[in-house]
Amino acid sequence: RLKYVPFKGAVPDYVRSSPSLIDTVMKRDMFLSYPYDSMSPVVDLLEQCASDDRVLSISITIYRLASHSRIADLLCRASENGKQVTVVIELLARFDEENNIYFADKLREAGCTIIYGMENYKVHSKILTVVLKRGEEIAYVTHLGTGNYNESTSRQYTDLNIITADRAIGEDAAAFFRNIAICNTDYRYER
């Protein structure tokens, strides 16, 4: 009775009541601040993307994952559902090298394209971009964050996040993954 009630990050009402997070993000940006907000909207969005027929591809940078990562499972599911999944994973994540090698192998076995980053560059930015077809057009849903895609540590560290359908940000994110694949660091991003 002398202990504090365990803290749980909040999920905004408009997110909790949304039948489709993809459609919600298409209408408005979503801002999250861990640990005050829950990471579950990002994971739930990825879960929807793994099975949504509009989704063509998912690309993500990974620095650290939880030892039992729902995100890794959802990326595998997306790949097995025919989505093109690209994962840029940092093998030299301090104290998590073994965990990241395990997940890289698991993701590759599920059909994901694995990129181990570039020499002399640390993959520490958090970017998740989803390319989807809306009618005859291509659209983007992009998550940018200061934290890791680690469901456990998101409850401990303060991180800022945005999930947006802003086209310029989505095009920059898609260009970022193309450039990482060919080790091009001399690209000028718009946003």
Side-chain angles (χ1 to χ4, degrees):
R1 68 185 172 97
L2 297 177
K3 291 182 178 180
Y4 289 109
V5 175
F7 180 81
K8 280 183 92 170
V11 177
D13 288 338
Y14 74 92
V15 173
R16 191 175 312 123
S17 64
S18 173
S20 169
L21 289 175
I22 294 171
D23 293 337
T24 298
V25 172
M26 288 298 179
K27 293 177 191 154
R28 67 180 288 184
D29 292 346
M30 190 182 308
F31 294 94
L32 301 171
S33 176
Y34 309 151
Y36 313 105
D37 294 313
S38 172
M39 186 184 197
S40 67
V42 175
V43 179
D44 294 344
L45 174 67
L46 191 54
E47 183 170 20
Q48 289 178 11
C49 290
S51 59
D52 192 299
D53 290 337
R54 296 173 293 180
V55 173
L56 303 173
S57 69
I58 300 169
S59 300
I60 189 171
T61 59
I62 292 178
Y63 185 74
R64 276 185 215 289
L65 290 172
S67 56
H68 300 288
S69 174
R70 221 174 123 209
I71 288 176
D73 292 341
L74 293 169
L75 292 169
C76 291
R77 184 184 316 161
S79 181
E80 290 161 355
N81 286 342
K83 317 295 182 205
Q84 179 184 335
V85 178
T86 301
V87 179
V88 179
I89 192 163
E90 178 60 61
L91 290 184
L92 299 176
R94 195 167 167 207
F95 306 119
D96 268 350
E97 295 86 354
E98 188 175 339
N99 197 43
N100 283 5
I101 290 169
Y102 165 78
F103 280 118
D105 290 343
K106 178 180 177 173
L107 291 160
R108 186 177 44 257
E109 286 174 15
C112 300
T113 300
I114 305 298
I115 300 171
Y116 295 107
M118 299 184 315
E119 189 175 3
N120 298 323
Y121 283 89
K122 193 124 181 116
V123 177
H124 204 273
S125 57
K126 298 355 169 254
I127 304 172
L128 165 69
T129 192
V130 177
V131 179
L132 52 122
K133 197 162 173 82
R134 284 184 81 194
E136 296 300 312
E137 302 233 342
I138 295 294
Y140 303 90
V141 171
T142 305
H143 170 263
L144 303 171
T146 61
N148 297 307
Y149 287 114
N150 183 323
E151 297 101 320
S152 298
T153 61
S154 70
R155 294 185 294 254
Q156 295 174 277
Y157 300 115
T158 302
D159 291 305
L160 302 174
N161 300 267
I162 181 174
I163 304 172
T164 183
D166 181 281
R167 184 166 194 82
I169 291 173
E171 289 173 349
D172 274 357
F176 168 80
F177 284 101
R178 284 193 306 273
N179 286 317
I180 287 289
I182 60 171
C183 298
N184 177 17
T185 59
D186 296 327
Y187 188 83
R188 185 166 161 38
Y189 298 94
E190 296 301 316
R191 297 289 299 276

